[in-house]
Amino acid sequence: MISSIILVSIAAIILRFDGSLRGANTPTTVASCASALLGNNGQLIAIGGRSISPLPSLSSGETEYDGLILGLEWVHQSATCGKLDRIWEEENRGDDDDDDDSETSSATSTVHVLGDCKTVIDHLNGVATPRKLKRKYDRAVSLIDKIKAYAQETLGNNISVTFEHVPRENNVLCDALCSIVMSCQQNLSLCEVEYAITEGRLKSADSRIKFGLPTSKKSRYKFRKTHFSHAVSRADNVPIDKRLDVWRKLAQAALESGDAVALRVVGEKIRAKSNELSSDAIDLSTLGVAMEIHALRMLSLNKE
């Protein structure tokens, strides 16, 4: 989301980046990336972050590259719009003043890239070969080439892009922004789940859209259709400290709506996730089992 990056001021460029991945390869995966542009004196030029679609194969290395690409895209887009001309023009003048005795001078500006992912930095420094991350690497290199070409063709300015690995504790700005973006994602999921629970209650009360249970006990045992399915599928995406409360609300809604299928599904989830949801795992597991048994009785399946 390049448009979400806020232009603060103009200064010499240091590009910091980061990427983050929570719950890799699980239904609860959330991911984000961030980038910040600063001047040599630490003055903030721009900052931005975005969420990343949690594809099944998403790796932490890809999120790190996405943070770098986010920053490089801003530099390229801003350069072509003329927003960075003053930086490079001033550096040109500064270099010219230093080289008064020379017949010709060629100004060089530096975009210094700092990241806490050694893999990405090693790729771009030519120390390691990108394999699984080749597509992301190619995108980053392409943007760097475009930035260099623009500066050279428009301002006659040579751009040197350097890459340095820094410890995570020295990359707190982008790290914190990644965490904020992921927390926002999870809070949006909480709103989505609460809306889905309300919608499930309304649909369960509407006789026109009730699900008909199969007459066969075998089919009924496998039956999983419920108006609370969406809420169930999204419940694990809410912030961890809110999940137990969400599952309790789901259980209450299913029970009050007389939705035996939903009650059974929620009971299964609570039992399976008891260790994750509460320190009183045994009591929570017992509650899940009790919900399942009650649901089976409602479905006339308690002997199955």
Side-chain angles (χ1 to χ4, degrees):
M1 299 179 183
I2 303 304
S3 60
S4 68
I5 295 184
I6 305 167
L7 181 65
V8 179
S9 60
I10 296 297
I13 297 173
I14 295 173
L15 192 162
R16 289 183 175 272
F17 71 93
D18 199 10
S20 190
L21 181 63
R22 291 179 187 167
N25 301 316
T26 70
T28 63
T29 300
V30 288
S32 65
C33 66
S35 189
L37 305 178
L38 303 98
N40 285 325
N41 59 358
Q43 184 182 17
L44 185 65
I45 300 173
I47 186 169
R50 66 177 180 84
S51 60
I52 300 172
S53 298
L55 299 174
S57 60
L58 184 67
S59 69
S60 59
E62 288 178 289
T63 67
E64 295 279 357
Y65 260 113
D66 282 342
L68 171 61
I69 289 168
L70 179 66
L72 290 173
E73 284 177 338
W74 186 89
V75 173
H76 176 249
Q77 193 175 81
S78 297
T80 55
C81 292
K83 292 180 181 178
L84 302 181
D85 288 358
R86 187 160 64 87
I87 298 175
W88 293 327
E89 286 172 354
E90 286 177 357
E91 291 189 9
N92 273 340
R93 288 196 296 271
D95 286 343
D96 288 344
D97 291 341
D98 293 337
D99 298 330
D100 285 338
D101 294 335
S102 61
E103 293 182 3
T104 60
S105 63
S106 178
T108 300
S109 299
T110 300
V111 177
H112 193 41
V113 179
L114 304 175
D116 59 25
C117 180
K118 193 172 186 301
T119 299
V120 173
I121 298 299
D122 283 351
H123 288 169
L124 292 159
N125 278 329
V127 177
T129 302
R131 293 184 175 85
K132 293 182 180 180
L133 297 170
K134 182 68 163 57
R135 184 174 62 85
K136 297 286 187 181
Y137 168 83
D138 288 343
R139 173 61 178 157
V141 170
S142 173
L143 285 166
I144 291 167
D145 289 342
K146 288 178 180 178
I147 293 165
K148 289 180 176 180
Y150 171 81
Q152 179 62 51
E153 293 169 7
T154 307
L155 302 171
N157 198 350
N158 296 319
I159 299 294
S160 172
V161 183
T162 61
F163 305 92
E164 180 184 351
H165 175 252
V166 296
R168 183 178 179 183
E169 56 268 24
N170 291 346
N171 201 29
V172 291
L173 179 60
C174 290
D175 183 67
L177 188 53
C178 283
S179 295
I180 290 170
V181 171
M182 289 189 292
S183 294
C184 287
Q185 285 180 269
Q186 291 180 316
N187 285 324
L188 284 173
S189 292
L190 177 60
C191 294
E192 184 181 357
V193 170
E194 290 178 340
Y195 175 81
I197 291 173
T198 301
E199 186 179 43
R201 284 179 177 274
L202 293 172
K203 288 183 176 179
S204 295
D206 191 337
S207 59
R208 296 170 299 175
I209 51 176
K210 284 188 177 295
F211 290 117
L213 290 171
T215 54
S216 162
K217 281 191 173 183
K218 186 176 181 179
S219 298
R220 201 153 65 244
Y221 189 80
K222 297 178 181 179
F223 194 71
R224 286 291 187 274
K225 287 185 179 180
T226 168
H227 292 305
F228 294 97
S229 292
H230 184 62
V232 169
S233 69
R234 299 293 295 171
D236 283 333
N237 292 82
V238 305
I240 185 67
D241 59 321
K242 299 289 195 302
R243 286 179 197 169
L244 179 56
D245 186 50
V246 163
W247 284 113
R248 283 174 174 162
K249 287 181 179 179
L250 264 167
Q252 183 179 1
L255 187 61
E256 292 176 354
S257 300
D259 190 331
V261 174
L263 188 65
R264 182 184 175 195
V265 171
V266 173
E268 289 173 347
K269 290 281 190 179
I270 288 177
R271 174 172 53 82
K273 296 178 177 295
S274 56
N275 287 318
E276 171 192 323
L277 295 171
S278 172
S279 56
D280 299 324
I282 296 176
D283 291 342
L284 201 58
S285 179
T286 301
L287 173 63
V289 171
M291 290 168 60
E292 289 181 77
I293 292 173
H294 184 61
L296 291 172
R297 286 175 178 164
M298 291 172 68
L299 292 166
S300 302
L301 292 170
N302 50 304
K303 292 183 181 180
E304 293 288 335

